[in-house]
């Protein structure tokens, strides 16, 4: 008679999670059950390869895949070929198999990769191929795993072999016919660069090739990477807030002693120590993506030809073409490139009615530099002046035009013709609107510093007029070569003051007893050199010192000796100034500290203020808070073009401003509000005292002893009073 009860082995075979738990605890005891499941998997895999699109065996087959992935580490020799079989099956049938089985296989491979059972090169290559699947959830999972796996592989040290192989594979994936796979591969490379994992030049140049893809989405992602790679990500406040160690330690001492509380305190202390080490660790700087390009000139020319072709054929959207213009202009400005056709290309866009014209003006400004021929930029300057700077236009248009001219001329002053500059300043220097007037005056102030010879005498200002004789305008291609650090004379002056004080302290030892009685003037004539206010060395007449020496010695000297001394004095006069030697020694033989640089900067600002004020020899304190905004920037923000313009607020903006001004103010009557100036003692007693404290008062006891007639009379009076109050 057969028994109806199932044996233990039958239960384990049908219950894979329980068998998985048993195998992990004791692999050797359950080897037979595992081998039975392994043979069952091989037969199921053979059936699946015959009909991969059939979903009848999907559930059972998926459970077997998950089970073997979990226990493969217990039997490494038996499951040595298991990852290769899954990879081969996915490579062959990933397009037609059911999404559930495909996702299960990917999860099994990820699990074995995390346990170090699979080579990352083979697996990541498969995952990039799986980007072609039409499964958004699977592509997101693959993206996250690829980034995390590459990050972990390069955590301790750079895995150059893996990085080189994957970068070469991604270069082929960017040219894949499947747009989704190419775009996801590009997103992986961009994220790895932003996470500072692949921040080398090869990654940047591979991404640069994506700018020439025929797919607009891939081009947009690559162009946006180069435009936004310099933006710093905001750090959330939640990451900076650490655990309160004091409160945890106090709770651990007051509350009942538990192992969990002690572990919580130890984890919190370890977290605080990690954050302290991270703060003390030196900050890691990386170059901008634009600086890592191998051939910026070739890349800019190729991208510009692509842009010009897209504009003529209307291939891309206007927003994408605008970003390409921005990228080309940044390349020209950062690398000082010469791309003369770019300025001819943007001239038709320089019109007030053009869409996003302020952005185009900023792009033109950041594409100009001192190495661009003035003839190429003069067409742009005249187009802006003719189309924007006109008395009949609105003040915002004129202000934007003048500000853009100022940004262009700050980078290439020779681009502005002299007659056009004088005409613009005369027309708008005293304009009735503040925006055009301030913009014209900023242009005037720029040329007072850069080239005051182009201005009329009345517009040069005091500082430029005083220094006009010594001023020399820079020619095309001429660069400033610094022979010394600006403000280094401040260090020389301080050292000379210290040496002077040392000489004064040692002077009594150098003077003889006879000279002490002659007066204090002899002490001042010990040194043969003096320094004036400008820091130049003045050699004093040495005849007085020779006479003093003759009187002290009491011996006459021959004429030959006098002639020898005169020749030595002449040689001293021919020799270079000791002050210049001292300057060279200070900069060459001394390590400058932060205080020295601060003193040099302060001295340079004082000299600049003296030059602007037309004052010489006076110290004028200068606030250097806005010094960084004076020079030209690599990237021109739209706010610099639109500075000085003020838009009229609409009704919603005006109402928001009115409501914001009413905050903290009270209007209307205060009747019926809880806040009052004073309360009666009766109300205070009711609100502040407990009932048991007033239970023996006469008023309370009297209410208890009131008759029914008295209670009715009081109730009617109360009702009547309430009716009078509500009328």
């Amino acid at each position: 008679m057969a028994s109806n009860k199932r044996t233990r082995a039958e239960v384990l075979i049908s219950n894979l999670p329980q068998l998985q738990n048993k195998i992990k605890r004791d692999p050797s005891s359950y080897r037979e059950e595992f081998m039975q499941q392994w043979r069952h998997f091989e037969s199921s895999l053979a059936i699946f390869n015959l009909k991969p699109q059939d979903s009848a065996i999907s559930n059972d087959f998926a459970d077997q895949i998950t089970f073997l992935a979990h226990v493969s580490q217990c039997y490494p020799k038996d499951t040595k070929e298991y990852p290769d079989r899954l990879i081969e099956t996915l490579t062959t049938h990933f397009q037609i198999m059911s999404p559930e089985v495909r996702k299960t296989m990917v999860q099994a491979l990820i699990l074995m990769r995390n346990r170090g059972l699979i080579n990352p090169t083979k697996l990541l290559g498969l995952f990039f191929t799986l980007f072609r699947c039409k499964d958004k959830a699977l592509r997101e999972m693959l993206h996250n795993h690829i980034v995390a796996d590459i990050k972990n592989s390069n955590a301790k040290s750079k895995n150059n072999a893996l990085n080189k192989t994957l970068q070469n594979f991604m270069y082929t994936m960017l040219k894949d016919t499947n747009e989704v796979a190419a775009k996801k591969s590009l997103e992986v490379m961009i994220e790895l660069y932003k996470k500072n994992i692949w921040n080398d030049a090869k990654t940047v140049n591979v991404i640069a090739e994506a700018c020439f893809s025929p797919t607009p989405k891939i081009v947009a992602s690559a162009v946006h990477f180069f435009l936004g790679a310099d933006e710093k990500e905001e750090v959330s406040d939640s990451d900076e807030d650490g655990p309160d160690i004091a409160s945890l330690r106090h709770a651990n001492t007051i509350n009942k002693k538990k192992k969990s509380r002690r572990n919580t305190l130890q984890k919190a202390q370890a977290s605080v120590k990690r954050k302290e080490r991270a703060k003390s660790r030196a900050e890691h700087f990386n170059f901008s993506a634009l600086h890592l390009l191998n051939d910026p000139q070739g890349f800019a020319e190729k991208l510009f030809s692509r842009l010009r072709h897209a504009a003529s054929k209307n291939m891309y959207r206007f927003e994408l073409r605008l970003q390409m213009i921005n990228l080309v202009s940044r390349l020209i400005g950062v690398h000082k490139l010469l791309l003369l056709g770019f300025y001819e290309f943007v001239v038709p866009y320089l019109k007030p009615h053009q869409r996003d014209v302020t952005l185009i003006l900023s792009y033109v400004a950041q594409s100009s530099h001192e190495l661009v021929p003035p003839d190429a930029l003069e067409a742009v300057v005249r187009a802006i002046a003719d189309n924007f700077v006109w008395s009949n236009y609105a003040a915002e248009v004129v202000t934007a035009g003048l500000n853009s001219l100022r940004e262009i001329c700050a980078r290439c002053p020779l681009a502005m013709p002299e007659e056009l500059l004088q005409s613009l300043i005369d027309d708008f220097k005293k304009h009735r609107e503040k925006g055009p007037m301030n913009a014209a005056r900023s242009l005037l102030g720029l040329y007072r510093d850069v080239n005051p010879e182009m201005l009329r005498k009345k517009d040069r200002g005091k500082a430029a007029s005083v220094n006009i004789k010594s001023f020399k305008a820079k020619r095309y291609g001429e660069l400033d070569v610094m022979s010394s650090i600006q403000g280094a004379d401040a260090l020389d002056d301080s050292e000379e003051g210290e040496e002077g004080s040392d000489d004064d302290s040692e002077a009594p030892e150098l003077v003889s007893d006879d000279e002490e009685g002659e007066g204090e003037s002899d002490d001042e004539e010990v040194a043969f050199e003096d320094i004036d206010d400008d820091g130049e060395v003045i050699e004093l007449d040495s005849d007085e010192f020779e006479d003093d020496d003759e009187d002290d010695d009491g011996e006459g000297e021959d004429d030959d000796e006098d002639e020898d001394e005169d020749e030595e004095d002449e040689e001293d006069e021919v020799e270079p100034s000791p002050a210049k030697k001292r300057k060279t020694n200070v900069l060459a033989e001394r390590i400058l500290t932060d205080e020295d640089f601060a003193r040099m900067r302060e001295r340079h600002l004082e000299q600049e203020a003296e030059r602007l004020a037309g004052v010489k020899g006076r110290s004028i304190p200068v606030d250097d808070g806005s010094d960084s905004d004076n020079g030209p920037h690599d990237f021109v923000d739209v706010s610099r073009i639109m500075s000085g313009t003020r838009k009229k607020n609409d009704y919603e903006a005006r109402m928001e401003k009115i409501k914001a001004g009413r905050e903290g103010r009270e209007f209307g009557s205060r009747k019926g509000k809880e806040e009052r100036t004073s309360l009666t003692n009766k109300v205070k007693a009711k609100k502040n005292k407990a009932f048991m404290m007033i239970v023996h008062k006469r008023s309370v006891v009297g209410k208890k002893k009131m008759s029914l007639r008295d209670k009715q009379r009081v109730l009617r009076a109360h009702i009547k009073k309430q009716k009078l109050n509500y009328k």
Side-chain angles (χ1 to χ4, degrees):
M1 182 176 178
S3 176
N4 294 329
K5 294 183 178 180
R6 301 173 64 186
T7 61
R8 178 172 171 234
E10 293 176 351
V11 173
L12 286 177
I13 291 174
S14 61
N15 192 356
L16 292 181
Q18 186 178 1
L19 179 60
Q20 172 185 327
N21 187 21
K22 297 289 186 181
I23 290 176
K24 287 184 177 179
R25 293 187 177 185
D26 192 3
S28 59
S29 301
Y30 295 92
R31 181 178 177 79
E32 294 182 1
E33 287 80 358
F34 168 74
M35 294 304 299
Q36 185 178 1
Q37 293 294 332
W38 175 257
R39 290 189 294 270
H40 183 43
F41 165 74
E42 289 180 341
S43 60
S44 301
L45 181 61
I47 298 172
F48 179 80
N49 288 330
L50 295 176
K51 294 182 179 180
Q53 67 276 9
D54 189 6
S55 60
I57 61 172
S58 298
N59 295 330
D60 188 20
F61 187 55
D63 294 339
Q64 292 176 2
I65 292 172
T66 305
F67 167 75
L68 292 176
H70 279 279
V71 300
S72 59
Q73 62 178 354
C74 301
Y75 307 100
K77 294 182 179 180
D78 298 327
T79 60
K80 185 177 181 181
E81 299 178 356
Y82 178 63
D84 296 335
R85 291 190 178 186
L86 291 182
I87 292 174
E88 183 181 357
T89 305
L90 275 173
T91 306
T92 309
H93 306 297
F94 72 92
Q95 292 283 10
I96 58 177
M97 67 173 57
S98 62
E100 292 79 10
V101 178
R102 183 172 56 209
K103 183 178 179 181
T104 304
M105 287 186 177
V106 170
Q107 289 176 343
L109 291 173
I110 291 175
L111 177 62
M112 289 186 287
R113 168 66 193 125
N114 293 336
R115 293 177 176 177
L117 302 177
I118 308 177
N119 186 11
T121 306
K122 183 187 299 184
L123 183 63
L124 293 180
L126 170 66
F127 284 173
F128 278 109
T129 307
L130 292 180
F131 278 140
R132 301 169 184 170
C133 298
K134 296 181 179 180
D135 190 348
K136 188 174 182 180
L138 179 65
R139 291 198 301 267
E140 189 66 25
M141 182 174 64
L142 292 173
H143 175 88
N144 295 334
H145 171 72
I146 289 172
V147 173
D149 194 13
I150 297 176
K151 180 180 179 181
N152 295 332
S153 301
N154 294 272
K156 295 183 179 179
S157 61
K158 291 289 185 180
N159 192 347
N160 294 322
L162 175 64
N163 296 339
K164 186 177 180 180
T165 305
L166 292 179
Q167 285 171 353
N168 295 333
F169 185 78
M170 285 185 179
Y171 185 75
T172 59
M173 284 297 299
L174 290 177
K175 298 180 180 180
D176 195 271
T177 55
N178 193 325
E179 298 179 1
V180 178
K183 188 173 183 299
K184 292 298 293 184
S185 302
L186 178 62
E187 290 177 357
V188 169
M189 296 195 71
I190 291 174
E191 187 170 355
L192 289 173
Y193 181 87
K194 290 183 177 179
K195 289 182 178 294
N196 207 15
I197 301 171
W198 285 1
N199 55 356
D200 53 347
K202 186 173 184 179
T203 305
V204 174
N205 287 277
V206 171
I207 298 175
E209 291 295 327
C211 295
F212 312 116
S213 174
T215 306
K217 291 184 178 180
I218 298 178
V219 176
S221 300
V223 171
H224 181 71
F225 163 75
F226 284 104
L227 295 178
D230 300 319
E231 298 176 359
K232 296 181 179 180
E233 297 180 357
E234 296 182 357
V235 181
S236 58
D237 296 334
S238 60
D239 297 339
E240 297 180 357
D241 297 337
D244 191 356
I245 300 298
S247 61
L248 291 175
R249 189 180 290 111
H250 178 71
N252 194 28
T253 55
I254 298 300
N255 298 334
K256 186 178 179 180
K257 304 296 187 295
K258 287 186 178 181
K259 188 176 181 180
S260 60
R261 287 199 181 97
R262 186 173 68 253
N263 293 338
T264 304
L265 178 61
Q266 292 176 356
K267 290 180 180 178
Q269 291 175 346
S271 176
V272 172
K273 289 180 180 179
R274 282 196 302 270
K275 291 186 177 181
E276 291 295 331
R277 287 196 300 267
K279 290 181 180 179
S280 60
R281 192 181 298 122
E283 187 177 358
H284 181 74
F285 297 97
N286 59 337
F287 287 101
S288 170
L290 295 177
H291 293 86
L292 296 177
L293 292 170
N294 292 336
D295 186 12
Q297 180 71 36
F299 177 67
E301 291 177 356
K302 193 174 179 181
L303 185 63
F304 175 63
S305 63
R306 189 69 179 273
L307 170 64
R308 189 158 47 186
H309 178 70
S312 61
K313 300 294 184 180
N314 200 12
M315 291 174 53
Y316 301 145
R317 296 176 59 188
F318 179 74
E319 292 81 1
L320 180 55
R321 281 183 281 159
L322 203 63
Q323 288 185 348
M324 294 175 72
I325 293 174
N326 187 10
L327 179 56
V328 173
S329 65
R330 285 196 184 186
L331 287 169
I332 295 173
V334 170
H335 293 281
K336 302 292 187 295
L337 306 179
L338 292 179
L339 196 62
L340 304 183
F342 176 76
Y343 306 103
E344 299 177 0
F345 174 78
V346 297
V347 166
Y349 294 95
L350 300 176
K351 295 178 182 179
H353 62 272
Q354 173 64 43
R355 178 183 171 187
D356 294 330
V357 67
T358 54
L359 292 174
I360 298 175
L361 289 173
S362 63
Y363 300 158
V364 173
Q366 72 185 7
S367 65
S368 57
H369 53 86
E370 64 272 8
L371 299 181
V372 178
D375 298 338
L377 276 176
E378 186 176 352
V380 177
V381 170
R382 289 193 178 276
I384 295 175
D386 295 340
N387 297 331
F388 288 86
V389 188
W390 194 254
S391 59
N392 294 336
Y393 287 160
E396 292 82 3
V397 177
V398 178
T399 304
L402 289 173
N403 286 335
S404 58
L405 290 177
R406 180 199 65 215
E407 294 295 330
I408 293 173
C409 296
R411 293 160 174 76
C412 185
L414 299 177
M416 175 70 73
E418 184 175 353
E419 67 279 0
L420 179 59
L421 175 64
Q422 295 175 0
S423 176
L424 293 175
I425 292 175
D426 292 341
D427 293 342
F428 296 97
K429 184 175 65 173
K430 296 181 180 180
H431 198 267
R432 61 181 182 274
E433 297 286 345
K434 283 188 176 180
M437 180 184 66
N438 293 333
R441 291 185 177 181
S442 65
L443 184 62
L444 174 62
L446 171 66
Y447 273 91
R448 282 179 177 176
D449 294 336
V450 175
N451 192 358
E453 295 178 351
M454 295 178 63
L455 301 174
R456 291 191 176 94
K457 189 175 182 180
K458 63 178 182 179
D459 296 330
R460 291 174 182 172
K462 183 179 180 181
S465 300
V466 171
N467 301 323
I468 192 65
K469 294 182 179 180
S470 60
F471 179 80
K472 182 181 179 182
K474 290 199 301 184
R475 294 173 295 177
Y476 170 68
E478 184 178 355
L479 300 176
D480 292 331
V481 180
M482 302 298 296
S483 58
S484 62
I485 302 177
Q486 293 179 345
D489 53 348
L491 302 179
D492 299 332
D493 295 341
S494 62
E495 287 198 352
E496 288 166 5
E498 294 176 359
E499 291 178 0
S501 61
D502 296 340
D503 294 341
D504 294 340
S505 60
E506 296 175 358
E509 298 179 2
L510 298 175
V511 178
S512 62
D513 296 334
D514 298 333
E515 291 176 348
E516 288 180 0
E518 294 179 3
E520 297 179 356
S521 59
D522 295 337
D523 296 336
E524 299 176 356
E525 296 175 353
V526 174
F528 285 84
E529 296 177 353
D530 195 5
I531 299 176
D532 63 353
D533 296 336
D534 296 334
E536 298 179 355
V537 177
I538 301 174
E539 296 188 359
L540 302 178
D541 190 7
S542 60
D543 294 335
E544 298 178 359
F545 295 95
E546 293 175 359
D547 295 337
D548 294 338
D549 294 338
E550 290 175 359
D551 295 339
D552 295 336
D553 296 337
E555 297 178 357
E557 295 183 353
D558 299 336
D559 296 335
D560 296 335
E561 293 177 359
D562 294 335
E563 293 177 358
D564 294 336
E565 290 178 1
D566 294 336
E567 292 176 359
E568 291 177 1
D569 293 338
E570 292 178 358
E571 291 176 359
D572 293 336
E573 293 177 0
V574 174
E575 291 179 356
S577 176
K580 293 182 180 179
K581 290 183 179 180
R582 195 178 296 116
K583 283 186 181 180
T584 306
N585 293 336
V586 168
L587 297 179
E589 301 178 358
R590 175 178 172 182
I591 298 176
L592 302 181
T593 61
D594 294 339
E595 292 78 6
D596 296 334
F597 282 107
R599 199 182 312 147
M600 291 162 57
R601 179 178 175 80
E602 183 180 357
R603 176 58 180 164
H604 171 63
L605 292 174
E606 289 178 359
Q607 292 176 350
E608 188 67 17
E610 293 172 2
R611 185 186 67 81
L612 294 176
V615 180
K616 186 176 182 181
R618 292 178 59 186
S619 177
I620 302 176
V622 178
D623 184 13
D624 59 341
S626 61
D627 182 67
S628 59
D629 297 335
N630 296 334
H633 303 270
D634 290 338
F635 306 147
V636 180
D637 193 20
V638 188
S639 59
R640 298 180 65 86
I641 302 296
M642 297 302 296
S643 62
T645 60
R646 185 177 180 182
K647 287 186 177 181
K648 187 176 181 181
N649 295 331
D650 54 0
Y651 177 76
E652 290 78 8
R654 291 198 302 269
M655 291 305 298
E656 290 180 0
K657 189 175 181 180
I658 291 172
K659 290 179 181 179
R662 287 180 178 177
E663 292 181 358
R665 299 174 60 187
E666 296 182 0
F667 300 92
S669 176
R670 297 175 59 86
K671 185 177 181 180
K673 296 184 179 180
E674 295 183 359
E675 296 181 2
R676 300 187 63 177
T677 55
S678 62
L679 298 174
T680 61
N681 293 333
K682 188 175 182 180
V683 176
K684 291 179 181 178
K686 287 182 179 180
K687 286 190 174 183
N688 299 331
K689 291 188 178 180
F691 178 74
M692 296 304 297
M693 297 176 66
I694 60 175
V695 68
H696 300 294
K697 292 185 66 176
R698 289 183 180 180
S699 59
V700 179
V701 176
K703 288 181 181 180
K704 292 181 180 180
K705 296 180 179 181
M706 286 175 63
S707 62
L708 181 60
R709 178 67 179 173
D710 294 334
K711 290 181 180 180
Q712 291 177 351
R713 181 170 48 81
V714 172
L715 181 59
R716 288 193 189 98
H718 177 69
I719 294 173
K720 185 178 180 180
K721 186 177 180 181
Q722 292 295 326
K723 290 180 179 179
L724 292 175
N725 290 337
Y726 284 103
K727 283 184 178 181

